[in-house]
Amino acid sequence: MMHRLALSGFLIAVVTASTWAQPGPPHKEQHALLKKVAAAQSTYKFSGERLVVMPRRDGSVRFTEKIWRNGSQLRSEFLGDEKFKGQIIVENKDRRLHLIPSLKIVRESAPRQDEALNFILGMGGQPRNGSRRSDERDKPKFEIKFSESDGGKIAGYNTRLLQMSGSNGRVLQKFWIETNRSFILKHSAFDGNGREWGGFEYRKIQFNPSLSSSLFTLKMPQGYRLITLLDDLKEQAGKLGLKAYRLQSAQGYRLIGVRGIADPKTKVLTQTYTNGKTRLTLYQVKGEFDTDRFKSAAGGRFNVHVWSADGVRFLIMGELSESELKSLAGKVKA
Amino acid sequence: MNDRTFMKKLLEERPLTAEESLRLDDALENQSGRLSQAILRDLPEDQPSLAWRSDLNTKLARASQAQKKRQVILRWLPAMAAPVAAGCAFLLLTTTAPQQSTVSPQSVARNTESIEEQMVDLHRDAVAPVAIGVQAPYDPSYSVELASYRSR
């Protein structure tokens, strides 16, 4: 079984290695196993532990995630890497709380459970790059092929291996699915060169355990502060000397992350949004900034729209078309 | 069958007759050691090469010289106890103290990136967890991030 947030990882890696593809709307030729996985999400009840490998530009990071799930309620704890140790995420259908010991805060934001379902439903055809029009989203630009075989045992359970390949035969994704519960026990994503660049594998899992309701609540530790993302945005903006511009309820986009970064000459406020189907990042930049270097770093894998206002440079980046990004830019207000 | 032939058969792992098997079981049970001694005796003797022997002699000579030096130091140590102890303590603290750096390899990489590259990394890092179906913990490895929470 895969909890909804975990299912959000099932993107079709339809582009080359370094591209983090994002899914589109439901596609007709979904594999039957994936349809069952998508349908089963709301019924999941389990506790487990999995090893996660998450890609980074300068390599990858590994950590162990302990998970408890009961329907729409979720708890994740992180072990292993010192950077992540002690962090806890608790989510239900109304909100998400993320405890971060290194910052002594509990950050409150909107839940992200719909992303997983939409990503699974959207699998089956992705554009090769971000430049797609709305009317083209339902049409895959290239064919995805599925093959099924015995997956062996994962965490003690027999699995079916579902392999997703592009039309050139290169493997894009692999899923090891426990078919009795329609649960993904292992997932591997591959780049365009056939190298595995990320994924997870359950090491232990128990289905239908007894789960206390207290697991899905978060006690505020002493000395910690509860902060909403909107408060976070305003505070970070204030520290950077920027106004708190944001994407104002446009097409269902909601704020899920805020970060301020700076060097001696430049200050940047970044905001990450999701509408459940795709993620965007909005940047406000004050100081020295090289647009060409930024676009070069993006490598053509994401589209970017740039504009200026109030003496500040704005950028919005994602896999939508440039015209769609431009349209969203018009909804960025203080 | 004599011992030598029997030993050879064991070493070559050839099938044993019933009688030979009983003989082997008996020898093992008795633990007389004669069988193992016979086997060891009949093992081909390894002759170390001359080059290896020469290298060993050199190492032994060096070790011997080092031992002589240590003996000299030990002879003088009582007179130099205090200053030597102080020196050793200084060396211990400065060379064996655990590194307190909190800079991870990823932080080092981020340190060398331009602000533009780090901005793109932030977006990639936001998308990556979704791409593999996991929750993303907060990653503090963006070394130029404002410590705005700590300053409150």
Side-chain angles (χ1 to χ4, degrees), chain A residues 3 19 109 135 155 159 161 181 188 193 199 218 246 300 323 329:
Chain A
H3 61 76
T19 300
S109 62
D135 59 336
T159 62
L161 170 59
R181 298 169 180 85
S188 295
N193 295 319
L218 196 61
R246 60 190 179 99
S323 60

Side-chain angles (χ1 to χ4, degrees), chain A residues 103-244:
Chain A
L103 300 179
K104 288 209 159 183
I105 61 165
V106 173
R107 187 180 272 150
E108 181 180 0
S109 62
R112 304 174 194 184
Q113 296 176 15
D114 56 341
E115 281 188 307
L117 181 59
N118 285 330
F119 282 141
I120 289 187
L121 294 175
M123 285 192 293
Q126 295 300 316
R128 191 168 293 280
N129 54 40
S131 55
R132 48 179 181 157
R133 302 196 307 269
S134 303
D135 59 336
E136 288 181 334
R137 276 200 212 135
D138 281 340
K139 298 173 188 173
K141 283 193 175 180
F142 59 91
E143 190 184 347
I144 293 290
K145 290 180 182 174
F146 292 99
S147 63
E148 206 183 312
S149 60
D150 177 23
K153 279 191 186 290
I154 302 289
Y157 290 88
N158 291 322
T159 62
R160 292 293 290 171
L161 170 59
L162 182 65
Q163 184 167 291
M164 196 185 295
S165 307
S167 51
N168 57 6
R170 282 185 182 156
V171 177
L172 302 171
Q173 309 259 350
K174 285 185 181 180
F175 307 96
W176 286 258
I177 302 172
E178 199 284 322
T179 53
N180 290 331
R181 298 169 180 85
S182 299
F183 190 94
I184 298 174
L185 286 168
K186 182 177 174 181
H187 171 223
S188 295
F190 297 83
D191 65 22
N193 295 319
R195 281 190 303 257
E196 188 175 347
W197 58 264
F200 65 82
E201 179 174 349
Y202 278 88
R203 297 298 170 87
K204 298 181 214 176
I205 190 156
Q206 186 185 357
F207 293 106
N208 299 313
S210 170
L211 296 175
S212 164
S213 58
S214 63
L215 267 173
F216 306 107
T217 58
L218 196 61
K219 265 186 186 175
M220 188 67 69
Q222 202 169 5
Y224 277 59
R225 191 179 161 201
L226 178 66
I227 183 166
T228 65
L229 271 181
L230 198 53
D231 292 336
D232 203 1
L233 171 64
K234 289 174 183 172
E235 288 190 22
Q236 297 258 17
K239 293 283 183 186
L240 290 164
L242 295 166
K243 279 186 192 172

Side-chain angles (χ1 to χ4, degrees), chain A residues 5-6 8-9 20 56-58 74 83 87 96 107 119 225 232 235 259 262 279 281 283 290 297 301, chain B residues 106 109 113 116 119 121 123-128 130-133 135 138-139 144-146 149 151-152:
Chain A
L5 284 172
S8 68
W20 280 261
R56 285 283 189 267
R57 183 170 181 266
D58 48 2
L74 166 78
K83 290 188 306 222
Q87 293 188 40
R96 183 178 193 264
R107 187 180 272 150
F119 282 141
R225 191 179 161 201
D232 203 1
E235 288 190 22
R259 284 188 85 142
R279 288 191 174 186
T281 300
Y283 304 90
D290 187 332
R301 290 176 287 276
Chain B
Q106 288 159 343
E113 290 181 339
E116 292 86 1
M119 287 165 64
D121 283 350
H123 179 76
R124 284 202 184 95
D125 291 351
V127 175
V130 179
I132 58 171
Q135 291 274 13
Y138 169 79
D139 188 345
V144 293
E145 184 166 11
L146 292 178
Y149 300 110
S151 65
R152 289 188 190 123

Side-chain angles (χ1 to χ4, degrees), chain A residues 250-286:
Chain A
Q251 296 179 20
Y253 283 96
R254 54 185 185 272
L255 185 63
I256 58 170
V258 176
R259 284 188 85 142
I261 59 174
D263 69 13
K265 295 179 181 176
T266 311
K267 290 179 171 45
V268 185
L269 181 64
T270 75
Q271 301 170 53
T272 302
Y273 291 85
T274 182
N275 67 351
K277 294 171 188 168
T278 191
R279 288 191 174 186
L280 308 169
T281 300
L282 172 67
Y283 304 90
Q284 276 175 261
V285 185
K286 190 166 80 171

Side-chain angles (χ1 to χ4, degrees), chain A residues 298-316:
Chain A
R301 290 176 287 276
F302 306 109
N303 285 327
V304 183
H305 177 68
V306 187
W307 74 102
S308 294
D310 235 352
V312 168
R313 193 86 56 93
F314 290 85
L315 301 96
I316 189 164

